[in-house]
């Protein structure tokens, strides 16, 4: 089989891999050890394989790895920094939004993409952002509460910083 080189940035690190032209991003990421990218429906329906591609959520089961040459990928493994969980991860735990955890990586990344582009989302916007990530255990109330709590805390922190100026 003909192989090709792939250079991508994953979670801030430049990675050089060898892939087949038809390899899916889902398969390549899992092969390279990013097991937070979950294999669910493989049809673009469940969102378990969600990663951020140039800050936008995509279903890795619908993207050819070859299409991502030179691009920036964030998986759930890149959310925590030096052993400290991302505030969204903390909030999901605090709000009981994680049960089996299968949907959680995708939900967290969809939530991150939302808060990065809309720091002050309405509940409806949060629900819409998470709508592509199916959860069979928890439902959506707790994840939505968790995302709204992070947005609220960020606004409060930003307000305190502003008041100190
Ligand atoms: S595994 Fe990709 S959307 Fe379900
Ligand atoms: S926590 Fe189990 S599928 Fe969402």
């Amino acid at each position: 089989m003909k192989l090709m080189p792939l250079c991508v940035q994953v979670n801030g690190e430049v990675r050089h891999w060898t892939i087949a032209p038809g390899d899916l991003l889902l398969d390549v990421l899992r092969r390279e050890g990013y097991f937070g990218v979950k294999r669910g429906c493989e049809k673009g329906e469940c969102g378990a394989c969600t990663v951020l591609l140039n800050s936008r959520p995509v279903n890795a089961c619908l993207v050819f790895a070859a299409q991502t040459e030179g691009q920036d990928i964030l998986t759930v493994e890149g959310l925590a920094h030096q052993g400290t969980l991302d505030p969204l991860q903390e909030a999901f735990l605090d709000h009981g939004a994680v049960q089996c955890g299968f949907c959680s990586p995708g939900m967290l990344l969809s939530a991150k993409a939302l808060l990065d582009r809309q720091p002050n989302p309405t509940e409806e916007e949060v629900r819409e952002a998470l709508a592509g990530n199916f959860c069979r255990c928890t439902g959506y109330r707790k994840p939505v509460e968790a995302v709204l709590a992070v947005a609220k805390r960020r606004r409060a922190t930003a307000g305190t910083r502003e008041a100190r100026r």
Side-chain angles (χ1 to χ4, degrees):
M1 186 199 313
K2 196 176 161 210
L3 298 177
M4 60 185 285
L6 175 71
C7 176
V8 282
Q9 181 152 302
V10 185
N11 302 336
E13 290 180 0
V14 176
R15 307 297 308 267
H16 295 274
W17 294 326
T18 300
I19 61 166
D23 281 350
L24 295 171
L25 184 59
L26 167 64
D27 295 320
V28 172
L29 287 171
R30 287 185 62 84
R31 189 162 76 213
E32 296 297 334
Y34 298 94
F35 298 117
V37 188
K38 299 297 183 194
R39 187 187 303 284
C41 65
E42 298 182 78
K43 288 191 260 177
E45 289 171 2
C46 74
C49 64
T50 301
V51 299
L52 300 192
L53 184 60
N54 302 324
S55 305
R56 291 181 174 274
V58 296
N59 293 322
C61 68
L62 296 185
V63 176
F64 288 117
Q67 294 174 279
T68 66
E69 171 65 31
Q71 300 189 41
D72 196 24
I73 296 165
L74 184 72
T75 73
V76 75
E77 287 88 352
L79 275 187
H81 285 294
Q82 296 176 339
T84 304
L85 292 179
D86 183 272
L88 277 166
Q89 292 172 304
E90 292 279 10
F92 267 53
L93 293 174
D94 291 348
H95 285 78
V98 179
Q99 287 191 33
C100 80
F102 193 77
C103 69
S104 304
M107 271 210 191
L108 286 163
L109 291 165
S110 295
K112 176 177 168 45
L114 170 68
L115 293 188
D116 286 351
R117 72 171 189 276
Q118 167 54 288
N120 189 14
T122 62
E123 178 174 337
E124 199 181 329
E125 285 170 323
V126 176
R127 285 187 180 278
E128 202 173 298
L130 301 185
N133 298 95
F134 291 174
C135 178
R136 289 184 169 83
C137 309
T138 313
Y140 290 90
R141 188 172 58 82
K142 291 175 180 180
V144 168
E145 283 172 5
V147 177
L148 288 171
V150 172
K152 189 175 171 189
R153 208 172 308 135
R154 283 188 185 166
R155 283 198 302 277
T157 308
T160 308
R161 247 188 260 124
E162 197 59 36
R164 283 198 191 123
R165 281 189 187 156

